[in-house]
Amino acid sequence: MDINPQIHLTTGQFAKLMNIRKDTLIYYDKVGIFSPEIITSNGYRYYSVYQAEVFHVILILKELDMPLKEIEKFLDNRSPERLLLLLEQKEKALSTKINHLTKMKKLVEDKKNDIREALEVNTSDIFIEHKVEDDFIVVTDAKPLTNDRNAYESIQLHFKYLDESNNVSSTSEGWMISVSSVLDRESIKYDYLYTKVTESSFANRIIEKGTYLVAYHSGGYLRIEETYSRLVKYAHDNNLVLKGYIYEDALLDELSVKGFEKYLIKLSVQVLA
């Protein structure tokens, strides 16, 4: 075939036309997925401008995470019916990916908000917070924290439950303890672990909207009962009736600080209006 300067391009020219690296074309030629229209006796390679359409198809299929070997098979046996089936499969995969990315974006947003809150708080303050929306949460039982192993196993079982339900949480896990246990001055005996989730269909409980009493704890978990006592004393002194559970949320955790003693824990509990 004769070389027509109007339609035939060198490897570099075709790469520039397609806005790709020259090495990409060389590799595609090597593996047999996309080769030049003309290879001269002295080894020069020329692509036709009409090959751009085929290359666009390859780029689209690559964007759909299709391996090169599968792209090659498709191109060798393409048909409207096979393309329709392929697109239906990829559409389903894309929907799953978009859903996952949406949840991950929510996780990032929530973590940013936690850190901003942590950087602004005065840990000695106790105050009223008005929650305007219910939070959907996944709750699992907590083992008695008689040793570190029980705490570890409780967390592992919690994450296992989340994985099995194909759930991406918006925050790290938190702990729940009943108000009655705290008021009875028992040592800390957590009832549940919980994780906030974005979809109500995944939740098995909610944290109700309403009025909450909030305190912050720093200095490590070994001293967290001191903050519980401060919270209870504040409620008593201000004639506030606590209800339900006290929720522990780590605003600063291992992602942002090193070691439990540097964590910043937010304690919140609903009060009767």
Side-chain angles (χ1 to χ4, degrees):
M1 180 182 292
D2 294 332
I3 297 171
N4 183 343
Q6 299 299 317
I7 64 171
H8 290 122
L9 306 174
T10 65
T11 301
Q13 290 171 328
F14 192 79
K16 186 176 181 180
L17 174 68
M18 304 308 300
N19 195 28
I20 60 168
R21 294 177 55 183
K22 182 178 175 180
D23 290 347
T24 301
L25 286 175
I26 294 173
Y27 178 72
Y28 283 4
D29 182 23
K30 182 179 178 180
V31 299
I33 190 174
F34 187 78
S35 299
E37 185 172 280
I38 298 174
I39 301 179
T40 64
S41 58
N42 58 7
Y44 287 108
R45 287 163 161 73
Y46 292 91
Y47 293 84
S48 165
V49 293
Y50 300 119
Q51 288 182 278
E53 290 296 325
V54 177
F55 198 80
H56 272 302
V57 172
I58 294 174
L59 292 180
I60 290 171
L61 296 178
K62 271 184 69 44
E63 283 292 313
L64 294 173
D65 293 329
M66 194 170 179
L68 290 179
K69 284 294 183 183
E70 291 185 20
I71 293 175
E72 182 181 7
K73 289 180 182 179
F74 173 78
L75 292 176
D76 289 342
N77 301 280
R78 76 193 86 164
S79 70
E81 292 79 11
R82 290 196 70 207
L83 178 59
L84 180 60
L85 178 61
L86 173 66
L87 293 178
E88 288 174 344
Q89 293 171 345
K90 293 302 180 182
E91 182 180 33
K92 184 177 180 180
L94 283 172
S95 295
T96 301
K97 188 173 183 179
I98 289 170
N99 188 42
H100 177 79
L101 290 174
T102 299
K103 291 179 180 179
M104 292 303 296
K105 183 174 183 293
K106 181 66 166 55
L107 185 152
V108 170
E109 290 173 349
D110 287 347
K111 202 62 188 175
K112 284 168 55 181
N113 290 335
D114 285 348
I115 294 171
R116 289 193 179 106
E117 180 179 349
L119 294 175
E120 294 174 357
V121 301
N122 183 335
T123 56
S124 63
D125 288 344
I126 296 179
F127 59 93
I128 294 293
E129 182 177 83
H130 299 285
K131 179 195 274 291
V132 297
E133 293 182 348
D134 293 335
D135 282 330
F136 302 114
I137 58 174
V138 171
V139 170
T140 59
D141 292 330
K143 292 187 175 184
L145 298 190
T146 53
N147 55 58
D148 290 340
R149 182 175 180 82
N150 278 2
Y152 173 78
E153 288 182 353
S154 293
I155 294 172
Q156 290 299 105
L157 290 171
H158 184 72
F159 284 135
K160 181 181 179 182
Y161 182 87
L162 290 175
D163 289 340
E164 289 175 348
S165 60
N166 195 29
N167 208 326
V168 177
S169 64
S170 63
T171 56
S172 57
E173 77 283 356
W175 297 83
M176 296 167 57
I177 182 171
S178 68
V179 167
S180 59
S181 294
V182 176
L183 293 179
D184 290 341
R185 298 186 180 279
E186 297 181 20
S187 59
I188 299 299
K189 294 180 180 179
Y190 294 105
D191 296 282
Y192 305 106
L193 280 88
Y194 74 97
T195 297
K196 294 177 183 177
V197 293
T198 55
E199 297 180 26
S200 60
S201 58
F202 289 131
N204 54 14
R205 193 173 292 209
I206 64 170
I207 301 177
E208 297 178 354
K209 61 185 176 183
T211 304
Y212 283 74
L213 189 62
V214 173
Y216 296 92
H217 174 77
S218 61
Y221 280 106
L222 293 178
R223 297 175 53 191
I224 198 167
E225 290 190 35
E226 297 174 8
T227 303
Y228 275 92
S229 296
R230 286 200 302 121
L231 193 69
V232 170
K233 184 177 185 303
Y234 183 95
H236 179 268
D237 292 345
N238 291 273
N239 297 315
L240 299 173
V241 179
L242 308 182
K243 62 173 291 190
Y245 292 89
I246 301 177
Y247 300 91
E248 284 187 19
D249 288 296
L251 300 185
L252 297 182
D253 56 20
E254 210 65 35
L255 275 174
S256 51
V257 295
K258 185 176 181 179
F260 290 137
E261 70 281 358
K262 295 183 180 179
Y263 283 23
L264 180 66
I265 310 299
K266 179 179 182 179
L267 306 182
S268 56
V269 57
Q270 192 171 12
V271 296
L272 294 177

